[in-house]
Amino acid sequence: MTGLIKAQIIGMSAMNGKNTVSGDLFSVPSVAELLSAPEYTVFPGFCDVHVHFREPGFSYKEDIKTGSLAAAHGGYTAVCTMPNLSPVPDCRENLDIQLNAIKKDAVIAVYPYAAITKGEKGEILSDMEDIASDCIAFSDDGKGVQSDDMMRNAMLKAKSLGKIIAAHCEVNDLLEGGYIHKGEYAEKHGHKGICSESEYRQIERDLQLVRETGCKYHVCHISAKESVELIRQAKAEGLDVSCETGPHYLVMNDSYLEEDGRFKMNPPLRSEEDRLALLEGIKDGTIDIIATDHAPHSAEEKSKGLAGSAFGIVGLETAFSVMYTHLVRTGEISLEKLAELMAVNPRKRFGIPYDGSFTVWQLNKEYTVDPDTFLSKGRATPFAGKKLSGVCMLTVKDNKIIYKHSDI
């Protein structure tokens, strides 16, 4: 059956040692047609280790069903959901609420994070031992763990459980009420800025704790040049560390800002110098993973400008095409490198099995980003109105089509 495949296949060999896709699907005419057409490209299903599906507690922003459908639309077949929920998954009872929702409504593989501390308050460790078997890793995403002793204890416990600590790095005392990057745009337009030091100082602290504890450590959504260099040095030292950045940080800087909530995220878009440092970190392997930090909010919550809007943008449905358009087509990285960053490395780092899922793309097909076509409940994206190349035609998991483009 696989002899029928003429489409270009990218990244499969890194997942299972051979460039194949499931033969069972050739009984479905649309799949057979796509895989026998040379204008299509097949990738292993993408994996995003940093998304917010908002359920339980905030389903008006997103829920497991809409979030997983949006993921499939973007070519993703596995995601890891962050724990800033209500109730926070910090004990068995709370985590089970989320697990039940996943079992009921997810169309892709959804792996929940559990919180590092109770209620993500940074005061008492969560029931880490009791919930370790059903979470992908531990994180207090949305908040940095401020206490050195608390983070040290969390790392020691995570190490004993064989789990990763995935850290949102932010020193609260350095925030000073900021909400965009402390740079030229903030100064020119009278906005309060978030300094880069608030991010990299906590990374610096955490890396010292990794040296002490030997914990597996992952840094979420890095945005600053100093963060890249700290992680580069830590890897050279042999520490068991990894990190991610988002598509928006790689293709935009604070000069792209507009007085609109769709440009507000945390960490913020930083300077061009920071963007170039992130890009170099992608090229030399310092940055392991591209993750979207898909963070939907209601239209009202994102309608209050830069100062008043909630932090967060959506990204699952545009991530690949943004990266393909701005990094691959421009010659910054290869298509194989992009597959590693979006499909291979996330699974390897977090121990997420590859289940034979795949996604089929028409790379030369162009479109203009229209948030009204998103399957996510969220609509806030800085890429609205941008022309991109690369359209997802099909996403398949467990021999089932979970997304199909209307042109098929």
Side-chain angles (χ1 to χ4, degrees):
M1 285 293 192
T2 55
L4 294 172
I5 297 175
K6 296 179 183 177
Q8 183 183 21
I9 300 178
I10 302 294
M12 291 289 191
S13 59
M15 306 302 297
N16 59 13
K18 53 186 177 179
N19 278 334
T20 61
V21 295
S22 174
D24 295 345
L25 280 156
F26 284 98
S27 61
V28 183
S30 59
V31 178
E33 180 182 348
L34 285 172
L35 298 185
S36 63
E39 66 265 33
Y40 296 109
T41 302
V42 183
F43 300 90
F46 303 143
C47 177
D48 193 336
V49 299
H50 193 138
V51 304
H52 300 265
F53 281 0
R54 306 300 193 192
E55 184 180 3
F58 307 98
S59 294
Y60 68 94
K61 302 173 188 274
E62 190 81 289
D63 55 43
I64 298 297
K65 183 175 182 179
T66 59
S68 62
L69 287 171
H73 183 199
Y76 291 90
T77 58
V79 298
C80 304
T81 52
M82 285 299 177
N84 45 350
L85 302 166
S86 181
V88 172
D90 54 13
C91 63
R92 170 54 56 185
E93 179 182 4
N94 292 354
L95 180 59
D96 281 348
I97 296 172
Q98 188 181 5
L99 290 171
N100 289 335
I102 291 168
K103 184 177 181 180
K104 176 177 177 286
D105 288 329
V107 302
I108 62 168
V110 177
Y111 299 89
Y113 283 90
I116 295 172
T117 64
K118 289 282 189 180
E120 291 194 319
K121 295 179 179 179
E123 299 169 353
I124 303 170
L125 285 183
S126 67
D127 297 346
M128 296 174 74
E129 191 165 352
D130 190 38
I131 55 183
S133 61
D134 287 318
C135 70
I136 196 65
F138 291 98
S139 180
D140 270 8
D141 186 60
K143 301 177 181 178
V145 176
Q146 302 303 302
S147 164
D148 296 4
D149 287 340
M150 183 60 60
M151 184 56 101
R152 181 183 293 106
N153 291 338
M155 286 185 175
L156 288 169
K157 176 59 73 172
K159 182 186 178 184
S160 73
L161 297 169
K163 290 291 184 178
I164 292 173
I165 290 287
H168 173 116
C169 289
E170 197 167 49
V171 179
N172 289 350
D173 288 344
L174 296 175
L175 296 179
E176 299 178 339
Y179 44 85
I180 62 171
H181 176 57
K182 190 174 184 179
E184 291 183 13
Y185 188 94
E187 184 176 354
K188 182 178 179 180
H189 294 84
H191 290 296
K192 294 181 179 179
I194 301 174
C195 64
S196 297
E197 188 177 3
S198 64
E199 174 180 296
Y200 70 78
R201 284 299 180 198
Q202 194 160 94
I203 294 175
E204 191 173 49
R205 188 275 314 260
D206 283 359
L207 291 174
Q208 181 55 41
L209 294 177
V210 171
R211 292 184 185 97
E212 295 178 24
T213 64
C215 174
K216 294 179 181 180
Y217 177 70
H218 177 79
V219 190
C220 298
H221 47 48
I222 67 168
S223 66
K225 62 182 187 295
E226 295 89 350
S227 302
V228 179
E229 185 56 32
L230 283 167
I231 295 162
R232 182 179 288 119
Q233 293 173 5
K235 288 189 169 188
E237 188 180 332
L239 299 183
D240 192 352
V241 302
S242 58
C243 67
E244 70 191 48
T245 195
H248 40 292
Y249 303 121
L250 289 166
V251 304
M252 289 183 166
N253 57 47
D254 64 343
S255 72
Y256 284 72
L257 290 173
E258 298 177 16
E259 296 296 308
D260 191 308
R262 65 191 177 92
F263 290 89
K264 183 177 181 180
M265 71 288 291
N266 189 25
L269 296 174
R270 297 201 185 275
S271 70
E272 177 65 2
E273 189 177 3
D274 292 303
R275 188 191 73 83
L276 292 174
L278 292 169
L279 185 56
E280 187 59 33
I282 287 284
K283 292 178 180 180
D284 70 12
T286 299
I287 299 173
D288 311 84
I289 294 168
I290 289 175
T292 65
D293 193 6
H294 176 83
H297 294 286
S298 69
E300 181 181 358
E301 289 168 326
K302 294 298 289 182
S303 67
K304 301 175 183 178
L306 291 175
S309 294
F311 285 108
I313 60 171
V314 295
L316 284 167
E317 295 171 84
T318 56
F320 177 84
S321 51
V322 168
M323 294 290 86
Y324 177 71
T325 302
H326 291 280
L327 297 191
V328 177
R329 294 196 69 178
T330 58
E332 296 286 356
I333 63 172
S334 68
L335 192 57
E336 289 78 7
K337 177 69 170 180
L338 184 56
E340 290 177 7
L341 291 160
M342 294 187 65
V344 181
N345 293 351
R347 286 186 171 88
K348 285 184 176 179
R349 179 55 172 165
F350 284 81
I352 296 170
Y354 176 57
D355 56 7
S357 62
F358 63 94
T359 181
V360 182
W361 288 71
Q362 190 169 354
L363 296 180
N364 292 327
K365 189 179 181 69
E366 292 188 335
Y367 75 103
T368 299
V369 177
D370 178 3
D372 287 339
T373 67
F374 290 171
L375 301 184
S376 169
K377 291 182 182 180
R379 297 289 184 267
T381 170
F383 299 108
K386 302 295 184 183
K387 182 175 285 189
L388 300 174
S389 293
V391 172
C392 182
M393 305 305 291
L394 197 75
T395 304
V396 173
K397 185 183 184 302
D398 298 329
N399 283 324
K400 296 178 181 178
I401 296 172
I402 56 174
Y403 171 76
K404 183 174 69 171
H405 192 275
S406 60
D407 284 356
I408 299 175

